[in-house]
Amino acid sequence: MQSAIQSAMQSEAQPDVRSAINGPLSSLIDKIDRKDLSISYEKTAKQCNLQLLDEEALAFHWPELAKQGFGMEQIGQIIKRLEQIDVKTDKVISGLRHAEWALENGCMKDAKGEPVGNPVNWVFSILARQGYYPRPPGYVSPEEKMEQDAAIEAERLQKARQARLKAEFALWVGGLPLEDRESIAPEKDTSSLPPEVRMIPAQVRLELYFKEHVWPGLQQKNGNE
């Protein structure tokens, strides 16, 4: 009961011209080639989601944009325009999500706050110039929504656990014989208890004992059922 409370490179001689060409220079060229290949691969990888799209997929993921006439022709032109100014395309997908949401919720407006007359040209122009369509006010991404739902679920689970803990304690202490209760948290003869323990109400000592010695067994039993 008391325990319950209480990671040098060295320089080498200069090589001759021939060895320099066949050695370090050749290695340098190889590294440059590898670097260019890596950059090309990464660039292609970041574009692959867009390039794997077709009209059917576009209409499935962004139906409101598709209804307005936004299709693969626009996607191809967006990729081309961004490549011309060396802007990445990895934010185009999220931009399409934002534009889709704005259309669906009737809040696609121009700089003057007026409803956009031609959504296809509007969305294309923004994405082709900057590779991203700004997040509309009130938009919640799927990832953000998932985290919000997880937080709500965790809070509910915590409350349910606390409620069960309280109920189980009441059941346990209600069926505890007086002699056992006095043995766990004596109220009459407290001379054997350290002074700091005596200051703690008996009810609190019972709760501490329950949480350490009884509650873990109840949780394990419940998990095996």
Side-chain angles (χ1 to χ4, degrees):
M1 173 58 195
Q2 296 180 15
S3 62
I5 301 175
Q6 306 190 321
S7 137
M9 296 179 64
Q10 296 180 347
S11 59
E12 299 180 351
Q14 287 287 341
D16 56 29
V17 175
R18 182 180 298 275
S19 63
I21 294 176
N22 295 332
L25 184 57
S26 176
S27 176
L28 178 60
I29 293 174
D30 182 58
K31 288 181 179 179
I32 293 174
D33 289 342
R34 288 176 180 271
K35 183 178 181 181
D36 289 343
L37 181 61
S38 176
I39 292 174
S40 177
Y41 175 80
E42 291 176 2
K43 188 175 182 181
T44 301
K46 289 177 179 178
Q47 294 177 351
C48 66
N49 288 338
L50 291 172
Q51 294 174 341
L52 287 175
L53 289 174
D54 55 26
E55 296 292 350
E56 181 182 357
L58 194 150
F60 176 82
H61 293 289
W62 306 287
E64 296 301 322
L65 282 169
K67 290 176 184 176
Q68 295 292 329
F70 191 96
M72 291 309 300
E73 179 181 356
Q74 284 73 27
I75 293 294
Q77 285 296 317
I78 288 170
I79 294 175
K80 178 181 178 180
R81 294 302 185 191
L82 293 177
E83 285 180 338
Q84 291 172 342
I85 55 175
D86 196 27
V87 172
K88 297 178 181 179
T89 62
D90 56 333
K91 301 297 183 184
V92 172
I93 294 292
S94 59
L96 289 171
R97 289 178 179 174
H98 295 167
E100 176 72 14
W101 188 90
L103 267 178
E104 186 177 11
N105 290 273
C107 58
M108 183 174 286
K109 299 180 180 180
D110 59 23
K112 297 180 180 180
E114 298 294 329
V116 172
N118 191 325
V120 173
N121 288 347
W122 177 258
V123 174
F124 169 79
S125 179
I126 293 175
L127 289 176
R129 284 192 171 94
Q130 58 192 42
Y132 181 70
Y133 188 99
R135 178 193 186 110
Y139 171 84
V140 178
S141 71
E143 297 80 10
E144 186 179 355
K145 179 59 178 174
M146 180 178 65
E147 293 298 333
Q148 290 176 351
D149 289 348
I152 293 173
E153 183 66 23
E155 184 178 357
R156 288 177 176 173
L157 183 59
Q158 178 66 13
K159 288 181 178 179
R161 284 174 176 168
Q162 290 299 321
R164 184 193 166 206
L165 172 62
K166 184 177 180 179
E168 292 283 11
F169 171 74
L171 182 64
W172 172 77
V173 77
L176 197 64
L178 289 177
E179 58 269 25
D180 291 343
R181 178 169 183 156
E182 183 65 19
S183 174
I184 294 170
E187 295 185 70
K188 299 177 181 179
D189 183 10
T190 60
S191 58
S192 62
L193 300 177
E196 63 273 14
V197 175
R198 290 181 221 161
M199 299 175 61
I200 301 174
Q203 182 73 5
V204 176
R205 281 182 268 148
L206 284 169
E207 292 174 357
L208 291 170
Y209 181 90
F210 175 81
K211 288 178 181 179
E212 181 175 350
H213 298 284
V214 182
W215 179 237
L218 291 174
Q219 288 181 302
Q220 184 176 11
K221 179 182 177 181
N222 182 260
N224 292 333
E225 291 179 350

